[in-house]
Amino acid sequence: GEDVEQSLFLSVREGDSSVINCTYTDSSSTYLYWYKQEPGAGLQLLTYIFSNMDMKQDQRLTVLLNKKDKHLSLRIADTQTGDSAIYFCAESPVNSGYSTLTFGKGTMLLVSP
Amino acid sequence: DAMVIQNPRYQVTQFGKPVTLSCSQTLNHNVMYWYQQKSSQAPKLLFHYYDKDFNNEADTPDNFQSRRPNTSFCFLDIRSPGLGDAAMYLCATSLQGDGYTFGSGTRLTVV
């Protein structure tokens, strides 16, 4: 089955870049997602990438994928205090029908002024 | 805006008293999911409906049931809540496994 691993905690200063890392094990074609969860709230989809892509950029967010190592990273440029939250990596294998999301344990990002 | 709505945001129930959480969607997605998220943990899939077909995860306790009376609504029933069932319950939808959209969640407290 699928397994998704993340580092648990990251602390950065406001204005710096943040890089959150994730590894996954599924060997099939898969979608890889980054979700943000603020305290007491649901999950907000930030961005996603298909496993045949190397990179995706969306404003301050850059996703890099190393397919050989099955390593995914989320870079947040010019990190702000409002970016403090838990970030979940998730994968969803592409099957002939449909599939479900498998989440990592989440990385808590703390941004200090 | 098309969205996934969960009611209530906060639910307090007594130990052993049945409780129902609700989820509705205006996206017309055919798949609806229920996830349980305990404090500082990843969301864990309990079950999902693909159209009317119910799919239970192997390790979901029998205490948890679900109903989907139509495309738009899905309910999570906890027959006899225990203290260990206190968690955030997240509803999500997708179209054939694409376009996952989550609701804001219902935080359940068991007293």
Side-chain angles (χ1 to χ4, degrees):
Chain A
E2 307 92 24
D3 192 22
V4 180
E5 299 284 342
Q6 297 181 239
S7 50
L8 294 182
F9 184 75
L10 176 66
S11 178
V12 300
R13 289 191 180 276
E14 192 172 24
D16 288 350
S17 292
S18 307
V19 180
I20 302 171
N21 295 302
C22 171
T23 56
Y24 63 99
T25 58
D26 197 283
S27 59
S28 62
S29 297
T30 188
Y31 284 100
L32 297 152
Y33 301 82
W34 284 105
Y35 285 88
K36 176 183 180 184
Q37 187 176 38
E38 297 182 11
L43 294 169
Q44 175 194 354
L45 177 65
L46 293 176
T47 186
Y48 67 94
I49 192 170
F50 189 55
S51 56
N52 68 351
M53 298 168 64
D54 296 321
M55 186 184 98
K56 183 176 181 180
Q57 186 156 1
D58 184 1
Q59 299 182 340
R60 291 192 297 125
L61 304 179
T62 303
V63 178
L64 293 177
L65 178 60
N66 180 326
K67 290 183 283 294
K68 174 175 169 289
D69 295 337
K70 295 189 172 61
H71 180 267
L72 182 75
S73 67
L74 174 69
R75 179 176 181 271
I76 306 173
D78 187 25
T79 314
Q80 303 297 307
T81 54
D83 294 325
S84 292
I86 298 177
Y87 290 79
F88 288 96
C89 173
E91 70 163 338
S92 176
V94 177
N95 296 323
S96 56
Y98 71 105
S99 58
T100 57
L101 284 173
T102 298
F103 287 89
K105 287 187 165 64
T107 299
M108 178 178 288
L109 173 65
L110 181 62
V111 183
S112 52
Chain B
D1 283 343
M3 54 176 41
V4 179
I5 299 168
Q6 289 188 245
N7 284 308
R9 285 294 305 275
Y10 302 93
Q11 175 75 56
V12 180
T13 191
Q14 290 181 331
F15 182 94
K17 183 175 180 181
V19 65
T20 295
L21 309 182
S22 74
C23 177
S24 64
Q25 55 132 337
T26 59
L27 297 158
N28 208 30
H29 281 175
N30 64 325
V31 192
M32 293 188 78
Y33 312 79
W34 280 103
Y35 285 84
Q36 179 193 62
Q37 187 183 22
K38 295 188 177 179
S39 182
S40 304
Q41 295 186 21
K44 179 181 178 297
L45 182 65
L46 294 173
F47 27 57
H48 69 278
Y49 274 94
Y50 181 92
D51 294 326
K52 294 182 180 179
D53 294 333
F54 179 69
N55 297 271
N56 200 30
E57 294 298 299
D59 55 356
T60 298
D62 292 341
N63 198 25
F64 291 85
Q65 304 286 325
S66 187
R67 295 170 285 135
R68 189 179 186 186
N70 53 52
T71 302
S72 301
F73 285 88
C74 194
F75 300 99
L76 169 62
D77 300 309
I78 309 176
R79 292 193 295 190
S80 181
L83 298 178
D85 296 328
M88 172 79 90
Y89 289 88
L90 296 164
C91 174
T93 70
S94 77
L95 187 63
Q96 297 285 120
D98 194 16
Y100 277 91
T101 304
F102 280 84
S104 298
T106 294
R107 181 165 295 282
L108 178 68
T109 300
V110 182
V111 298

